[in-house]
Amino acid sequence: MADIYFLRHGQTDMNITHMLQGRTNTDLNDRGRRQARSAGKALQRDGIVPDIIFASPLNRVRETTEEALSVQGLEPIDMTVGEALVYQGEKIPRVTDQRLIEMSFGEVEGIPMSELPDDFAGIFFDDPANYEPVPGAESYHELLKRCRSFIEYLRENTRPGGILADKTIVCATHGGVLHGILLLLWHRDLEDFWKQQVLNCAIVKAELADRQEDDTAEFIEDGFTGEEKM
C-alpha cells in the first residue's frame, strides 16, 4: 500500500505582505527555507523517505523539496514518471505535475489583500460558491477539477499492481491546491473551502480508498504561521 503525503511550500516575501501569489514564480525567503528544513525533520522523524515526489513547477515548491530532502542528505533529480520508475540511483525522482500549480488569480495577483476590491475579497474568501473569476483567473470549479484529476491518478496507480503501489509519495504544492485536495478528501462543500487553515510547510497524509466516499486525510504537521522564532 502506498503512503501519500501533501506538502505546502515554505514562506515567501509575498506571504509576508499578504498578496495573492497565484502563478507568480516567487522564491522562498530565509524563513521559508528554514521552514522547509523543519518539514524535512518532520519527515525524517516519521521515517518518511520519498520514493518519488510530484511537484508544482513553481520555484517556491521546488526549493521546498530541495531544502526538506537536504535534512536526510538527499537531493531531487527531475524526471518523467517513466524514468522515475526505473531509476536506480541515490537521488529522489521529482516529477513536475501541472495539476499541482497554484490557483491563478488573474489580474489581482500581486495586489496586497488590503487593497483588493471589497466585492472581490468578500466573495472570494467568504462566499466561494458565488465567486466569479476576474479576467485571467481560474475558477474554483476548474481548480477542483484538476485536484480531482490528480487524486484519481494517484488512486488508480497506487492500487495493488499499479505503477506506484507500495511507494512513498510526496506531493509538493500550494495553499490553494491543498485546500482543494482537503475539500475533496474530507467530502466538504465549496462554501467550506477556506475553513481549514493550511499554513506554510504543513504536511497532510492522504488515505485513498477504493471508493471516493471513503477517502480521508489528516495533518501530520500543522506548519508555520511565520511568527515563530526559528
Side-chain angles (χ1 to χ4, degrees), residues 129-219:
N130 290 308
Y131 167 67
E132 294 291 337
V134 299
E138 185 177 26
S139 72
Y140 280 107
H141 295 291
E142 290 169 329
L143 171 64
L144 291 172
K145 181 178 179 180
R146 61 183 170 91
C147 289
R148 173 60 73 193
S149 172
F150 186 70
I151 290 171
E152 293 308 316
Y153 170 81
L154 292 178
R155 187 193 317 281
E156 182 62 27
N157 288 291
T158 55
R159 296 184 193 275
I163 60 173
L164 299 175
D166 302 320
K167 300 291 188 185
T168 297
I169 303 165
V170 170
C171 309
T173 187
H174 304 264
V177 175
L178 193 42
H179 274 97
I181 294 289
L182 287 171
L183 190 84
L184 294 170
L185 295 182
W186 286 344
H187 321 291
R188 294 181 175 175
D189 296 327
L190 182 54
E191 63 189 22
D192 296 325
F193 191 92
W194 296 106
K195 292 190 178 174
Q196 171 63 57
Q197 191 175 46
V198 178
L199 300 175
N200 289 118
C201 283
I203 305 174
V204 170
K205 183 174 184 180
E207 298 283 353
L208 303 185
D210 289 335
R211 303 182 306 167
Q212 291 180 5
E213 54 264 40
D214 295 326
D215 291 343
T216 188
E218 64 176 343
F219 283 85

